[in-house]
Amino acid sequence: MNRNKRRQEDNSFTDYNNNNIKKPRQNKITLSDRITNLEDLSNELFYEIFEYLIDHHAFQAFYDLNYRFQKLVLNSNSTIKINISSISKSQFHHYLTDRIKPCTSRIELFRLSNPCIDPCSLLLPIITKLTQLTTLILNNIEANFIEPIVNQLSSLPVLSSLTIVSISNIITKNNLYSKLFQLPKLKYCQIDIELLDIPKKFTIATNEFSTIEWLIINHRISIDKLLILLTYVPQLRRLSIDQLVQSEFDQLSKTSTNLNYLTNVSLKFAFHFNVPFQQFEILVENYFHQVQVLNIKTQSVHLDLDTGKYLNANRWEQLISTSMLNLRIFNFQQSYRGFRSNEERQAFDYFINKFNSKFWIEHQWFFDYHYHETKRSTTAVFYSRNPYRKKDYVLYDELIDNIYLTCHDINEDPIHHICLHTTDIIKQCYDKFPNATELTFCEDFEVPRVDSIVVDLNRFLPLKQLTKLSIKCHRFTFEQLIELLQFTLNIHTLELDSIVLFRTDPILIQNHELTQLVSKINLITNVTIMKEITVEKIQLLTVAFPRIEHLTINLFKEDLRPIVKYLFSKLNNNTRYLSLLHISKQRHDWMILLKSIIKSKKLPRNYVFKVINRTLYIWW
């Protein structure tokens, strides 16, 4: 066909001086002919566009345009991923009525992370129709909703991935894990429910087992309860525990259950509740025979007889040699926060020097240490020098020489989160973190002039691909923040310790041309301010970041009235996208006061108020 087309094109170049040859008609092309209307695009192309968008964003953009787009949204055969987080109250009800309910049977993933939405009222009426739901993520929900939902999860025939994260303490004493272990298709399970306990009557499994292969427990769990829990998951491949605590019993019983597929383990011991090494040994001897990757992180205040056993190189060597013969990666970190005497420091030095024996060298496991001085005490950290494939990276000046000597092509390491303590490190590490998407300036970071480090920082990591920025240091000014943000165009989440002005007039900052530029180009939608904030700083914040959807602040009682009046005003164009406000550390009477302010100022009253763990949530 192309050959024929080219032949026709060749014929058009005929000698038009020959009057016997008919000249082709020349159509005049107008500007309107060159413009393609949106509706001229094919359905297939629109479906491809939908795949690149969050589902409720695509719904908002196209559904109400005309009848054709309504049919496109509703009649597709493709599966749907529902993500309900920063969405206004009116948009949510429209989305629920015209998208979620009509298309329930096509939902493949359902994620809810808005604490003001009742997950039971949302999910339970449609749960039997969620026949294709494979992934359920309930994030930032109240704990009292969890058990009614867990009781109905058996209605989901293909559920393979479950995440539950609560923002309040659970009261029920029923064993939720026994119900989760009965789900026939569940492969991935992540649970973070404060005060969730396992009843004493929950005994070692005998004939009922779970299909779970990846188990993440981020709430506190004692090692004796973990030993029992693991008997129910014989298919387990990956295990992560974020707050492991010691058993209340002196003697732990050994089990006969084998975890033949468990190859990857990450354990963090809860601060002040460190697991005695002999209890940890029982866990290893029972279940870690096939483990290839072991990540251990412990922290204590002082170096004493119990915590010092984790620095006993000979004991580690014996445990690994007898119970973890398949271990390839050993990533270990032990920190002490309260060294106050030379005796503790000398004991620490004595223990860590034992990790230089032939055993550790043959395994290519190398270690180093760092002392971090503070005004009150000394923090000592002993850590694996090989970062392997860590996602988070903490950098001090003193560590740099040792860290990179044993890195194997760090450019291939998917390190996503960088924590900076000093500035000198930036100049020494060009092109070391090409995959970083999160950057944190830690509490003790000494802030120079930002324009003096931006060039080096951009060589250190690609600023344009950052999506989250956390500034925990106390002297990072708002002007310096604006200077940095002109180079970080893809940040959507911003966390600040405070808004520091240093006597600079906020109006001058608002009107500065760089602030105006950053205001137009930034994509920040989620902002958290830890320290108390005033209405003047709120005004500056919303001018600089006019696309905020979710705002978390802390304030004094006398600032509540002017801040609420400003944020909720219909005339305020800078808060037109804001629909979810968190006020942390609030007092019990603030919700009553807030309602009276809204009523007296004749502000819109279509709000949902909730108080959870001293945080006031407002959704509108």
Side-chain angles (χ1 to χ4, degrees), residues 55-67:
D55 188 76
H56 80 80
H57 289 167
F59 176 80
Q60 288 174 226
F62 292 96
Y63 183 80
D64 291 321
L65 290 179
N66 56 37
Y67 181 76

Side-chain angles (χ1 to χ4, degrees), residues 260-454:
N260 294 325
Y261 305 101
L262 181 61
T263 60
N264 194 308
V265 176
S266 294
L267 302 177
K268 292 183 182 179
F269 298 160
F271 192 49
H272 291 306
F273 295 93
N274 268 346
V275 177
F277 196 82
Q278 58 270 28
Q279 293 186 6
F280 170 71
E281 286 177 317
I282 293 175
L283 176 64
V284 172
E285 291 166 357
N286 269 283
Y287 297 120
F288 289 7
H289 293 286
Q290 302 300 324
V291 169
Q292 300 176 22
V293 179
L294 178 62
N295 298 285
I296 299 286
K297 185 176 183 179
T298 72
Q299 52 183 336
S300 308
V301 178
H302 300 292
L303 176 59
D304 54 32
L305 187 61
D306 283 332
T307 61
K309 290 179 181 177
Y310 283 93
L311 290 181
N312 189 325
N314 293 331
R315 198 159 179 175
W316 271 113
E317 180 178 341
Q318 182 180 0
L319 181 62
I320 294 172
S321 300
T322 57
S323 300
M324 290 186 286
L325 298 177
N326 296 301
L327 192 63
R328 297 183 295 102
I329 294 177
F330 179 58
N331 194 9
F332 176 60
Q333 178 179 312
Q334 169 76 60
S335 61
Y336 299 94
R337 294 188 177 182
F339 275 12
R340 296 191 178 186
S341 66
N342 288 331
E343 288 77 11
E344 278 185 295
R345 194 158 182 164
Q346 290 172 359
F348 179 76
D349 291 340
Y350 171 80
F351 281 123
I352 65 177
N353 285 332
K354 299 295 183 180
F355 284 86
N356 293 322
S357 67
K358 180 181 178 182
F359 172 83
W360 303 102
I361 295 173
E362 286 180 346
H363 283 80
Q364 295 291 293
W365 294 334
F366 303 104
F367 305 89
D368 215 323
Y369 65 94
H370 172 69
Y371 289 114
H372 184 59
E373 304 287 345
T374 63
K375 293 180 180 180
R376 297 181 179 179
S377 62
T378 299
T379 297
V381 184
F382 179 69
Y383 59 93
S384 297
R385 203 164 64 187
N386 301 61
Y388 300 111
R389 302 183 69 81
K390 288 166 59 177
K391 293 183 178 180
D392 299 338
Y393 223 73
V394 182
L395 297 178
Y396 299 88
D397 279 351
E398 292 85 346
L399 303 187
I400 185 62
D401 292 336
N402 297 318
I403 286 177
Y404 292 113
L405 287 177
T406 54
C407 281
H408 302 291
D409 194 2
I410 197 167
N411 286 319
E412 295 182 0
D413 261 1
I415 299 171
H416 299 297
H417 185 192
I418 306 298
C419 302
L420 285 175
H421 286 262
T422 65
T423 56
D424 293 341
I425 193 78
I426 299 172
K427 297 180 181 180
Q428 304 176 39
C429 304
Y430 285 168
D431 300 324
K432 293 296 184 182
F433 303 102
N435 300 302
T437 57
E438 296 183 30
L439 176 63
T440 297
F441 294 95
C442 298
E443 293 89 339
D444 52 353
F445 185 83
E446 292 295 331
V447 184
R449 284 187 52 83
V450 171
D451 57 358
S452 67
I453 67 167
V454 164

Side-chain angles (χ1 to χ4, degrees), residues 558-584:
E558 58 266 25
D559 293 314
L560 180 62
R561 185 179 296 274
I563 287 177
V564 167
K565 182 180 178 182
Y566 173 77
L567 290 178
F568 292 175
S569 172
K570 283 188 174 181
L571 301 177
N572 184 1
N573 199 41
N574 291 323
T575 59
R576 62 189 182 277
Y577 297 111
L578 183 64
S579 61
L580 187 59
L581 176 65
H582 298 178
I583 302 177
S584 57

Side-chain angles (χ1 to χ4, degrees), residues 152-210:
Q152 298 298 319
L153 291 180
S154 58
S155 302
L156 303 174
V158 294
L159 182 67
S160 60
S161 176
L162 175 66
T163 299
I164 302 177
V165 179
S166 72
I167 54 174
S168 59
N169 298 332
I170 197 166
I171 299 175
T172 181
K173 298 299 180 182
N174 295 329
N175 189 359
L176 296 183
Y177 278 105
S178 64
K179 297 176 182 178
L180 297 178
F181 289 162
Q182 295 173 19
L183 299 176
K185 301 290 185 178
L186 195 61
K187 301 294 183 183
Y188 175 94
C189 183
Q190 178 179 347
I191 304 296
D192 186 358
I193 306 172
E194 288 299 321
L195 300 185
L196 177 62
D197 197 10
I198 299 174
K200 293 182 179 179
K201 63 180 181 180
F202 191 53
T203 57
I204 294 174
T206 55
N207 56 6
E208 293 184 2
F209 303 102
S210 170

Side-chain angles (χ1 to χ4, degrees), residues 441 447-455 457-458 463 466 469 471 475-489 491 494 496 500 504 509 512-519 521-522 524 544-545:
F441 294 95
V447 184
R449 284 187 52 83
V450 171
D451 57 358
S452 67
I453 67 167
V454 164
V455 174
L457 197 58
N458 202 31
L463 292 176
L466 291 179
L469 176 64
I471 300 178
R475 300 179 65 84
F476 209 110
T477 69
F478 197 81
E479 291 171 289
Q480 291 173 313
L481 172 64
I482 292 297
E483 291 181 35
L484 178 58
L485 288 177
Q486 64 180 308
F487 302 100
T488 56
L489 302 182
I491 287 179
L494 177 65
L496 303 177
V500 181
T504 306
I509 300 177
H512 194 280
E513 60 181 3
L514 186 56
T515 305
Q516 297 296 319
L517 172 64
V518 170
S519 175
I521 63 177
N522 81 82
I524 294 172
F545 313 123

